[in-house]
Amino acid sequence: MKIRRAQETDLSRIAEIFIFNNRIFYFPIFKDESYSFGELQVVPLAERKLRRPDVMRQLFVADSGIRKGFMQVDGTELCKLYVDPFFQSEGTGGRLLDYAVTEFHADHLWALEKNTRAVSFYERHGFVLTGEKKYEDGTTEFLVKLTRSEKDEGKIEKSH
C-alpha cells in the first residue's frame, strides 16, 4: 500500500470515505439527520471543502489500487484520519498514522470524546489523552486532545 499526496481525482473517494464514517460512527452520537443525510453529500463536500488549495496540500491517501483511507495533516496536527469501514482493521489506519508521525512529526490531534474506538486506536499507537477538552463547533459534544511525545517517535518504523 502506498501513502501519497491526494490528487483532484481522489476527492470524491475521500468525500465518500468521510461520509460513510460520519454516518456509521457519528450519527449515533449526534443524531442529526439533516446533517448526516441531507447536508453531507459527496459532490458538495468534494467541491466546496476539499478542492481548496490549502486543504489539497494537507490530504494524503492510502492507495493499494483502491483508495482505502485518507488523512489530513496541518503542520504537526493530525486533523483527520479515516478508513473506509469496509477496510478497517486491516492496518490501513496504522499505516496512515505512522506516515503522519514519521514524515510530518505529527504529535497531536483532537478526537470526539464519545468515539471511544478512535481514542483507543490512537492510544494503541502511542498517543495519550492530555485531559484537555473543547466543544466540537456547534454541538454539545466534547473533543479530547491526544499527544505523542518526541521520544515515542523513534518507536515507529517507516511503513512506506
Side-chain angles (χ1 to χ4, degrees):
M1 177 171 318
K2 180 180 179 183
I3 309 292
R4 62 171 174 76
R5 189 172 298 279
Q7 302 167 353
E8 284 201 26
T9 55
D10 298 317
L11 295 181
S12 63
R13 179 67 176 131
I14 290 170
E16 182 180 55
I17 292 168
F18 179 81
I19 291 169
F20 281 172
N21 276 277
N22 177 279
R23 290 177 179 164
I24 292 169
F25 299 110
Y26 295 159
F27 178 72
I29 295 168
F30 292 105
K31 299 186 184 349
D32 186 348
E33 290 178 4
S34 65
Y35 175 74
S36 292
F37 299 98
E39 183 180 333
L40 198 56
Q41 299 294 320
V42 170
V43 173
L45 179 62
E47 293 296 323
R48 293 187 199 131
K49 297 201 179 195
L50 299 176
R51 195 174 300 276
R52 297 181 4 219
D54 59 320
V55 174
M56 286 292 299
R57 284 189 295 274
Q58 300 171 347
L59 291 174
F60 295 82
V61 294
D63 188 346
S64 65
I66 295 173
R67 290 154 296 188
K68 293 184 174 185
F70 78 94
M71 68 178 173
Q72 181 180 0
V73 182
D74 184 8
T76 61
E77 180 178 2
L78 180 62
C79 302
K80 291 181 177 42
L81 189 154
Y82 291 95
V83 175
D84 186 303
F86 289 101
F87 300 111
Q88 289 180 1
S89 300
E90 294 181 357
T92 302
R95 298 270 315 264
L96 283 164
L97 187 56
D98 290 352
Y99 189 88
V101 169
T102 57
E103 297 299 318
F104 302 105
H105 306 286
D107 62 2
H108 67 287
L109 61 95
W110 292 88
L112 190 63
E113 182 177 41
K114 288 184 180 175
N115 189 350
T116 56
R117 184 174 176 182
V119 171
S120 294
F121 167 79
Y122 293 122
E123 288 177 326
R124 283 193 311 274
H125 287 84
F127 284 77
V128 294
L129 288 164
T130 65
E132 191 175 344
K133 293 181 181 185
K134 66 180 181 180
Y135 282 109
E136 171 72 87
D137 289 340
T139 76
T140 58
E141 297 297 333
F142 282 107
L143 295 171
V144 292
K145 187 174 186 178
L146 292 99
T147 61
R148 180 180 185 82
S149 69
E150 287 186 31
K151 66 180 174 80
D152 291 331
E153 284 188 33
K155 296 178 183 174
I156 297 226
E157 296 178 19
K158 290 197 180 229
S159 59
H160 57 278

